[in-house]
Amino acid sequence: MNRKDVLLRINELLDTYCEECFVKRALRKEYGKLYAQSFCIQTCTIGEKMKQYGQLLVKQKM
């Protein structure tokens, strides 16, 4: 998978799942932006998938 494909998949995930995410919105309102981002990265399955794509991008740069 090339860099462009990875970036397209990340954008697709963001547009499909994260744009209107109720959980993210509620956590951000109640606990703040940092907490909501931490939840998305560490707990959310979509965040986990994006981390995997990010690791592919880092490997491609090396």
Side-chain angles (χ1 to χ4, degrees), residues 21-46:
C21 179
F22 173 75
V23 175
K24 178 182 168 186
R25 209 173 328 136
L27 290 175
R28 191 172 183 170
K29 185 176 181 179
E30 191 168 337
Y31 298 107
K33 181 179 179 179
L34 184 62
Y35 184 87
Q37 286 176 338
S38 294
F39 172 83
C40 293
I41 293 168
Q42 296 173 3
T43 308
C44 180
T45 56
I46 302 304

Side-chain angles (χ1 to χ4, degrees), residues 1-39:
M1 188 178 304
N2 65 30
R3 179 175 171 79
K4 184 177 179 180
D5 291 336
V6 173
L7 292 173
L8 285 172
R9 289 186 185 214
I10 290 172
N11 281 333
E12 195 175 281
L13 286 174
L14 286 169
D15 291 343
T16 304
Y17 298 104
C18 301
E19 189 73 28
E20 300 293 325
C21 179
F22 173 75
V23 175
K24 178 182 168 186
R25 209 173 328 136
L27 290 175
R28 191 172 183 170
K29 185 176 181 179
E30 191 168 337
Y31 298 107
K33 181 179 179 179
L34 184 62
Y35 184 87
Q37 286 176 338
S38 294
F39 172 83

